[in-house]
Amino acid sequence: MTTDIKASMHLTTSQKNTLTLAAVCLASLMFGLEISSVPVILPNLETVLHGDFKDLQWIMNAYTLACTTVLMATGTLADRYGRKRLLLASLALFGLSSLVCGWAGSTGVLIAARALQGAAGGAMLICQVAVLSQQFPTGAARGRAFGAWGIVFGLGLGFGPIIGAAIVALSNWQWVFLVHGPLALAALLLVALGVSESRDSQRRKLDVAGIATLSLAVFSLAWCLTQGPALGFNDPRTLAILAVALLSLMLFVMIERRQREPMIDFSVFRIRRFSGALLGSAGMNCSFWPLMIYLPLYVQYGLGYSSLGTGLTLLAYTLPTLLVPPLAERLALRYRADAVIPAGLLAIGLGFLLMLWGSHAETASWLTILPGCLLAGTGLGLTNTPVTNTTTGAVPGERAGMASSIDISVRMVSLSINIALMGFILVEAVQSALRQHVPAGIDAAALRAMAEGLSAGNGVGALPVGVAKLALAQGFGAVMLYGGVAACLFAVVSWLVFGAGREGALGAGRL
């Protein structure tokens, strides 16, 4: 590799930029695939690794929680030690942790490896933005570079389900993870050849206290939602962890308010366009993305489809997110993001309610939930890009990096919490349905274990077919109802928060 790096010194600026863009796009593809391809193989992981419902939740949550933990620190570390150096380190760790995921022989090892993978992925994501900003500082080239990066990231998210299902059909679940080993090697070579090292001359101090308190708050809340129901919400351990979550959150706010250079400057929340867009970001991750974790379980066990059929159904759910963003950009230019973002959230909410209706049809199938899937995906496509552009565009240029970090952090935090919350709602609703069909003498712990097993696909054959399908339909229906109501509420609140900005813009137009 040393010879290649020396040879790269003779490359033209255009050639280096091309290699840089290829490296960043490949890294973004890997990051997107690891979010959307893994849910499809959760049923396989549950069977092969003998995991339970909580294990499946933590396989996904370990990735998002670890990603959230490193987001704020990465920008400071990259500025201090070099953006290229940190991108190389995060790519290497991502590749190695992916290999460990593929070779995992138990859910415990897989969850730990997923946490490493998530930390590497979060660092990789921030470094990608920093490297592109440095390599393409201005002009049309910058727009094309970020446009290509966004498209490839969307391809990873959108086609992840069908790619994961195809890998399982042609080979085995391990290759959903192992494939990132050679991809990471290719990305490392491209970074070494193309990316120029850069640092920030005004190095910021690493906000260790802020990072630690925010991470502890999110982790503790996710733990309460996943482990609390089994222990009981009045159990001293659950109450203690909940107290830790609340205390950590209060400490985080206090620490950030006293920092000279906080990683979150709370004054930006006074900017209505920024806060309105951030509500759009949270709304997507309280509805569309966490359902990606549970929808494969519903399609495979509730509707009875194979892994490949499940992947194709999820493609209908995610495909509009790739096709709609160009339209969303045009609509945002014409009608302002202030209107497009709430409209997109409303479309997500209505799509979920349509899926709920389709899941309760007498002969429920992929066709009955298809209209809701397409509408929800269209809503996400309308919301996602305008949210990103508005959060960074609503603040002064020197604070755009912080605004982007807040946006990504809100996405990951809300996603982590809602993965746990949707799982809680699912199990509670399934348990409620089962309670009417099981012997009266069964104790609460056994009933809950039965509900968790059924939610993850275990025990479907041990119950009468009608009872299992009814319980699953009621459980996933409750999840869809929650997602639909949450997205609609976020749409309304986002519209109201945007309101003053709209009025100001209209008033300025009349002057």
Side-chain angles (χ1 to χ4, degrees):
M1 183 171 286
T2 305
T3 306
D4 291 331
I5 294 171
K6 287 180 179 177
S8 72
M9 296 174 65
H10 303 293
L11 296 174
T12 65
T13 301
S14 176
Q15 290 171 326
K16 283 190 173 186
N17 286 350
T18 300
L19 291 172
T20 296
L21 184 57
V24 167
C25 285
L26 185 55
S28 70
L29 179 68
M30 290 192 292
F31 183 85
L33 284 174
E34 275 307 280
I35 291 177
S36 64
S37 64
V38 175
V40 182
I41 66 168
L42 288 178
N44 301 78
L45 297 177
E46 176 210 5
T47 302
V48 175
L49 301 181
H50 309 292
D52 59 21
F53 185 70
K54 294 187 185 73
D55 291 330
L56 300 186
Q57 288 181 294
W58 280 110
I59 286 170
M60 293 304 303
N61 244 344
Y63 187 90
T64 53
L65 284 169
C67 184
T68 304
T69 301
V70 304
L71 283 174
M72 290 298 184
T74 300
T76 301
L77 292 173
D79 290 344
R80 179 176 297 182
Y81 298 109
R83 289 146 190 162
K84 177 179 179 178
R85 180 178 296 177
L86 197 59
L87 180 56
L88 287 168
S90 59
L91 278 168
L93 181 59
F94 191 88
L96 289 172
S97 57
S98 297
L99 295 179
V100 177
C101 286
W103 292 327
S106 68
T107 53
V109 173
L110 180 56
I111 290 168
R114 284 283 285 170
L116 279 177
Q117 197 185 38
M124 222 165 53
L125 184 64
I126 296 297
C127 288
Q128 289 166 33
V129 177
V131 164
L132 281 182
S133 299
Q134 178 68 28
Q135 207 95 356
F136 301 90
T138 56
R142 179 185 176 89
R144 287 194 297 269
F146 273 94
W149 172 72
I151 289 169
V152 173
F153 185 51
L155 288 172
L157 288 172
F159 283 88
I162 190 64
I163 291 172
I167 288 174
V168 170
L170 297 173
S171 181
N172 53 52
W173 67 267
Q174 285 95 336
W175 279 101
V176 171
F177 299 109
L178 295 177
V179 69
H180 295 291
L183 289 177
L185 277 177
L188 281 167
L189 180 61
L190 290 169
V191 170
L193 290 171
V195 176
S196 300
E197 186 60 280
S198 61
R199 292 179 176 83
D200 188 349
S201 56
Q202 298 179 340
R203 298 176 179 177
R204 293 173 294 159
K205 184 180 178 182
L206 186 62
D207 186 4
V208 177
I211 293 165
T213 50
L214 179 61
S215 302
L216 184 59
V218 176
F219 177 83
S220 300
L221 186 55
W223 189 94
C224 282
L225 290 169
T226 52
Q227 309 297 325
L231 294 172
F233 285 111
N234 58 350
D235 185 276
R237 288 168 291 180
T238 305
L239 294 173
I241 293 294
L242 183 59
V244 169
L246 296 174
L247 180 61
S248 299
L249 187 59
M250 288 189 291
L251 284 173
F252 170 73
V253 174
M254 290 170 58
I255 289 166
E256 294 306 294
R257 285 188 176 279
R258 294 181 180 182
Q259 286 278 15
R260 181 172 295 178
E261 293 182 348
M263 64 180 185
I264 293 182
D265 182 355
F266 289 101
S267 67
V268 298
F269 293 109
R270 298 193 193 104
I271 303 172
R272 283 182 171 260
R273 294 195 73 235
F274 178 82
S275 294
L278 214 59
L279 286 166
S281 188
M284 293 185 296
N285 289 281
C286 287
S287 52
F288 189 93
W289 289 120
L291 187 68
M292 275 285 293
I293 313 304
Y294 299 104
L295 198 55
L297 297 171
Y298 170 67
V299 174
Q300 192 154 347
Y301 295 121
L303 300 180
Y305 290 101
S306 65
S307 294
L308 189 58
T310 300
L312 289 169
T313 303
L314 290 181
L315 185 61
Y317 184 67
T318 55
L319 189 59
T321 68
L322 302 178
L323 303 178
V324 175
L327 172 63
E329 283 299 291
R330 285 195 286 271
L331 290 173
L333 287 172
R334 183 169 181 178
Y335 300 107
R336 295 176 58 86
D338 310 18
V340 174
I341 291 172
L345 289 176
L346 185 61
I348 294 174
L350 294 176
F352 269 60
L353 297 178
L354 261 181
M355 279 192 282
L356 171 62
W357 174 82
S359 70
H360 282 79
E362 188 173 342
T363 55
S365 69
W366 71 273
L367 279 173
T368 60
I369 66 170
L370 179 63
C373 287
L374 292 173
L375 182 56
T378 300
L380 187 95
L382 286 172
T383 308
N384 195 29
T385 307
V387 159
T388 302
N389 291 342
T390 305
T391 51
T392 54
V395 300
E398 65 272 13
R399 296 161 96 181
M402 183 191 64
S404 178
S405 295
I406 292 175
D407 177 29
I408 296 172
S409 295
V410 165
R411 292 178 190 236
M412 290 299 171
V413 169
S414 54
L415 177 60
S416 298
I417 291 171
N418 278 277
I419 288 173
L421 183 55
M422 281 191 176
F424 169 73
I425 292 169
L426 173 60
V427 172
E428 288 296 314
V430 169
Q431 184 174 276
S432 175
L434 288 177
R435 190 175 287 114
Q436 304 169 27
H437 297 90
V438 297
I442 189 169
D443 63 75
L447 181 62
R448 180 162 194 87
M450 188 184 297
E452 288 184 350
L454 186 59
S455 299
N458 283 331
V460 174
L463 291 166
V465 176
V467 173
K469 287 201 168 186
L470 177 66
L472 285 172
Q474 184 166 317
F476 285 101
V479 170
M480 292 169 188
L481 178 62
Y482 163 75
V485 171
C488 289
L489 286 176
F490 271 101
V492 172
V493 177
S494 176
W495 172 264
L496 293 173
V497 170
F498 271 130
R502 265 194 312 275
E503 291 166 10
L506 291 172
R510 285 193 294 266
L511 292 176

